[in-house]
Amino acid sequence: MKKSGVKSILIVIFCACLCVGYFYYLTQKTGNKEADMTEADMIISKDLEKSYPNTAREVIKFYNRILKCYYSQEYTEGQLEQLAGQARLLMDEELRQKNPEDSYLQAVKEDIANYDKDGKSIYNINLEDSNEIEYKKVKGQECAYVDVVYFVKAKKGSERSSQTYILRRDDDNNWRILGFYQ
């Protein structure tokens, strides 16, 4: 009787070890995929059609991830085109019409080249809190004003610049970037 009880305990312990081992294997297997993804890959992989940011602040937060990637990350030419495509999806239709895809991409490339030439990179971004965002009705449309402070490293030291982004709700109730000013 005692031998079968010990055998049962050993079988249970062995099965538990197999389950724990298999769980560890699965978590390490899926964890490596995300670890191998660059920031550019993560931005590109976000399906904005299915999971568009809910608030004006989140739209600007995602847009700033794109900007930081433009100026501070390694990526391929194809990835740059996809990053620019993601940025354009955050724009209001009016802004997209003023910035056709080809000219927008060219402007981004020129701006990145200027940053590289000057040895600049964005090292910190401060985005105002949700309760500090200003909301107004402009010509009957709901708009949000989001302030952002950029800290940029350069060859000649560091600099700070501020921008206010203007967002407008679209017909689908999503916040879209309409423009910005310094």
Side-chain angles (χ1 to χ4, degrees), residues 21 25-26 34-36 50 60 71 82 96 102 111 117 127 131 141 147 159 161 167-168:
Y25 167 76
L26 289 177
E34 285 185 13
D36 291 342
K50 292 182 181 173
I60 297 304
Y71 303 118
Q82 291 175 308
R96 274 194 299 249
D102 291 341
D111 204 33
K117 183 180 79 177
L127 185 64
N131 60 349
Q141 296 180 312
D147 295 325
E159 47 189 72
S161 68
L167 294 92
R168 177 169 61 187

Side-chain angles (χ1 to χ4, degrees), residues 6-21:
V6 171
K7 241 184 190 180
S8 296
I9 291 173
L10 288 175
I11 290 172
V12 168
I13 291 173
F14 179 73
C15 288
C17 288
L18 281 176
C19 289
V20 169

Side-chain angles (χ1 to χ4, degrees), residues 2-92:
K2 288 185 181 184
K3 284 186 177 182
S4 71
V6 171
K7 241 184 190 180
S8 296
I9 291 173
L10 288 175
I11 290 172
V12 168
I13 291 173
F14 179 73
C15 288
C17 288
L18 281 176
C19 289
V20 169
Y22 186 64
F23 175 77
Y24 178 78
Y25 167 76
L26 289 177
T27 58
Q28 294 305 310
K29 181 180 172 184
T30 57
N32 287 340
K33 287 180 183 176
E34 285 185 13
D36 291 342
M37 289 182 75
T38 65
E39 177 69 0
D41 291 330
M42 287 190 274
I43 291 168
I44 292 165
S45 68
K46 183 167 177 75
D47 186 352
L48 292 174
E49 302 269 330
K50 292 182 181 173
S51 63
Y52 194 83
N54 293 327
T55 66
R57 185 178 192 279
E58 287 181 28
V59 170
I60 297 304
K61 189 175 180 180
F62 188 69
Y63 182 72
N64 281 305
R65 281 181 63 195
I66 295 169
L67 291 182
K68 193 166 183 180
C69 195
Y70 282 163
Y71 303 118
S72 307
Q73 303 286 319
E74 297 281 327
Y75 45 79
T76 65
E77 180 73 21
Q79 286 176 315
L80 177 59
E81 291 173 10
Q82 291 175 308
L83 288 168
Q86 290 287 71
R88 283 180 46 80
L89 289 174
L90 299 173
M91 295 176 184
D92 186 87

